[in-house]
Amino acid sequence: MSGKIVLNLAISLDGYIADENGGFEWIVGDGNSALNTDLKWDYKKFLEEIDIVVMGKNCYNQGFHKDFKDKPIYVATSQDITDYDYYHFINGDVCTPIVNLRNEGKNIFLFGGGVLVDHFLKADIIDEYIIGIIPTILGKGRPLFLGNNPKIDLSLQYYTVEDGIVIMKYSKREK
């Protein structure tokens, strides 16, 4: 039984996942419910199906690990940091240990940031992409896609709209 690696994050309309300072206060809807869908994104249900959270060191330093107190967290870092409690620090090849966990049947939430995601994208090992498009153009910030990526064909599984935020779930197309 194989699990899955799921990228789930919000981006601005122009492709940024954070502002220049790593801030995310801009991740809000426009307040217009006229186009809302009946189907709603259920983040709590999503988290219930996740076994492991993976994030980069910047996300860890910003305290995002505290949002996942009941799950093992793997942090990609260039530093040599000793594991403690349910925090595991990965130095070097971040993809192989995470793929091994997926192959053991674990569902893995690829939380961010862009440098971490880039490793998984270039290795083409992300199984699902859940992307929330925020109705904001930031103009500058921290991009999701760093460039020079392989072509990856996706299939839309579902979408929701709530207060101007469009959330789309894609899976890799069958070959």
Side-chain angles (χ1 to χ4, degrees):
M1 178 178 129
S2 185
K4 58 188 172 185
I5 297 173
V6 182
L7 173 64
N8 180 354
L9 46 73
I11 65 172
S12 64
L13 192 59
D14 53 348
Y16 295 105
I17 57 174
D19 66 24
E20 289 181 296
N21 301 315
F24 55 91
E25 295 78 22
W26 55 273
I27 300 179
V28 294
D30 63 7
N32 181 356
S33 61
L35 297 176
N36 284 6
T37 56
D38 291 335
L39 181 64
K40 303 289 182 222
W41 170 244
D42 190 340
Y43 184 70
K44 184 177 176 187
K45 183 177 180 217
F46 166 76
L47 283 181
E48 288 171 0
E49 297 171 0
I50 292 298
D51 301 304
I52 294 168
V53 177
V54 179
M55 65 181 62
K57 185 71 166 40
N58 285 341
C59 290
Y60 176 82
N61 288 344
Q62 286 182 270
F64 288 115
H65 61 288
K66 296 174 185 172
D67 295 339
F68 310 103
K69 295 183 181 192
D70 60 339
K71 301 195 184 295
I73 297 173
Y74 286 73
V75 180
T77 178
S78 59
Q79 301 171 325
D80 190 15
I81 302 174
T82 304
D83 296 351
Y84 69 96
D85 296 333
Y86 47 90
Y87 299 107
H88 307 274
F89 296 89
I90 304 172
N91 186 321
D93 176 12
V94 66
C95 294
T96 300
I98 300 306
V99 167
N100 290 340
L101 290 166
R102 175 185 68 184
N103 293 343
E104 292 172 9
K106 303 293 186 191
N107 290 325
I108 299 158
F109 177 7
L110 189 55
F111 181 81
V115 174
L116 172 70
V117 170
D118 193 59
H119 293 286
F120 288 83
L121 197 61
K122 286 190 174 32
D124 191 11
I125 54 176
I126 301 172
D127 300 296
E128 291 180 356
Y129 297 77
I130 301 171
I131 308 293
I133 308 293
I134 307 303
T136 298
I137 295 174
L138 279 180
K140 53 188 169 182
R142 298 183 181 171
L144 171 56
F145 301 111
L146 303 184
N148 297 315
N149 297 313
K151 180 179 180 282
I152 301 171
D153 293 319
L154 303 173
S155 176
L156 182 64
Q157 300 300 305
Y158 73 79
Y159 68 92
T160 68
V161 178
E162 188 163 1
D163 295 334
I165 298 173
V166 179
I167 298 176
M168 299 167 292
K169 178 181 175 183
Y170 292 94
S171 61
K172 286 179 21 175
R173 277 191 224 163
E174 298 296 323
K175 303 209 181 222

